[in-house]
Amino acid sequence: MFVSFEGIEGCGKTTQVELLTTFLSQRGIPHLITREPGGTSLGKLIRKMLLDPANSEMEPLTELFLYAADRAQHIAQVIRPALETRQWLICDRFADATTAYQGYGRGQDLAFIQQLNQWATQGLWPHLSLLLDCPVEVGLDRARRRIEDSALEGREDRFEQQALAFHQKVRTGYLELAAQNPARFRILDATMELERLHEEIVTILEPYLNQKN
Ligand code: TMP
């Protein structure tokens, strides 16, 4: 079973991935938690390049190819092998993020991105994609507070530094993707209290929990 979590900055997906990990461990379900970008050792280097605010001169096309490169490595080295051993694979962002951020957010050609995603994923797509949706103001506020509460004050990454309008386009992109792929996507209200949101996610996954992959 391959499940991806998607959403704008501060939607709470990383916290929900952690709660789900604990839940799967308690149920004794073999699983692997991973993320994009940065799910492999090569990918970690790519992630650093992509998010470093010092790389403000990065061309949109360079950015697009770096996400695709990260994904190609991740599919070959982590995702495909995990699915072959019938583990649950939980991925914090996947190819839909490229459509939402590089396509809708940066305005790059959607048809080209679709093709690139198809190449990079080798046609391997999540069985379920959970879109944690919330207003941009709520997400960015949470993301900023998280940065302030950590030792990272003043250290927003290249994407957190983008204007509200960019994140609004990303949110719209995700909602359109969900509307175009209703069999794969579930939209969840990410303004919900943490535990309630977790319970909703478990309710969605429950029918798949007794399957073998
Ligand atoms: P994260 O903070 O959720 O780990 O994601 C890192 C950033 O990378 C986030 O701002 C979203 C962005 N991103 C893209 O722009 N395109 C992509 O394909 C992926 C996977 C992430």
Side-chain angles (χ1 to χ4, degrees):
M1 182 75 185
F2 180 6
V3 181
S4 64
F5 278 73
E6 298 284 359
I8 60 165
E9 315 298 314
C11 69
K13 65 188 166 40
T14 306
T15 307
Q16 290 302 326
V17 167
E18 282 166 13
L19 290 172
L20 182 59
T21 312
T22 308
F23 172 83
L24 292 173
S25 300
Q26 283 165 352
R27 283 272 188 113
I29 294 168
H31 60 277
L32 189 73
I33 307 297
T34 185
R35 72 169 176 184
E36 290 192 356
T40 61
S41 44
L42 253 182
K44 286 188 179 67
L45 298 174
I46 297 175
R47 181 181 176 93
K48 211 157 169 262
M49 279 193 267
L50 280 164
L51 301 189
D52 191 343
N55 290 336
S56 57
E57 83 284 11
M58 189 183 293
E59 284 292 322
L61 199 55
T62 309
E63 178 182 293
L64 175 62
F65 287 148
L66 284 175
Y67 279 111
D70 170 75
R71 186 159 302 126
Q73 188 70 22
H74 195 207
I75 282 279
Q77 207 178 337
V78 175
I79 298 182
R80 192 179 291 286
L83 293 175
E84 278 168 3
T85 59
R86 296 181 169 263
Q87 291 184 74
W88 273 58
L89 195 285
I90 313 293
C91 198
D92 187 340
R93 294 196 190 281
F94 191 60
D96 296 305
T98 303
T99 308
Y101 279 81
Q102 282 63 53
Y104 286 84
R106 297 263 193 247
Q108 300 215 66
D109 189 80
L110 290 172
F112 176 62
I113 291 179
Q114 200 179 358
Q115 262 191 313
L116 189 64
N117 272 342
Q118 206 57 23
W119 276 96
T121 60
Q122 295 170 23
L124 201 60
W125 285 82
H127 300 103
L128 267 184
S129 295
L130 305 178
L131 173 56
L132 272 49
D133 179 57
C134 67
V136 168
E137 294 79 2
V138 174
L140 289 184
D141 192 48
R142 275 191 199 153
R144 289 214 177 95
R145 262 184 286 141
R146 187 184 57 217
I147 292 167
E148 281 165 16
D149 291 348
S150 64
L152 296 170
E153 187 152 8
R155 296 280 321 273
E156 289 174 318
D157 70 33
R158 279 199 320 117
F159 288 87
E160 287 155 346
Q161 287 176 342
Q162 293 289 311
L164 212 63
F166 171 82
H167 295 286
Q168 189 58 56
K169 285 190 239 168
V170 173
R171 184 187 185 201
T172 302
Y174 271 130
L175 289 170
E176 287 192 14
L177 273 170
Q180 288 158 13
N181 300 279
R184 176 164 64 85
F185 269 93
R186 300 290 180 278
I187 304 175
L188 291 129
D189 175 3
T191 61
M192 230 186 277
E193 196 262 320
L194 278 187
E195 276 302 324
R196 239 194 91 206
L197 186 53
H198 171 61
E199 280 164 22
E200 293 235 343
I201 290 171
V202 169
T203 305
I204 290 171
L205 298 181
E206 198 72 56
Y208 304 91
L209 288 171
N210 296 321
Q211 291 180 7
K212 280 279 175 261
N213 63 344

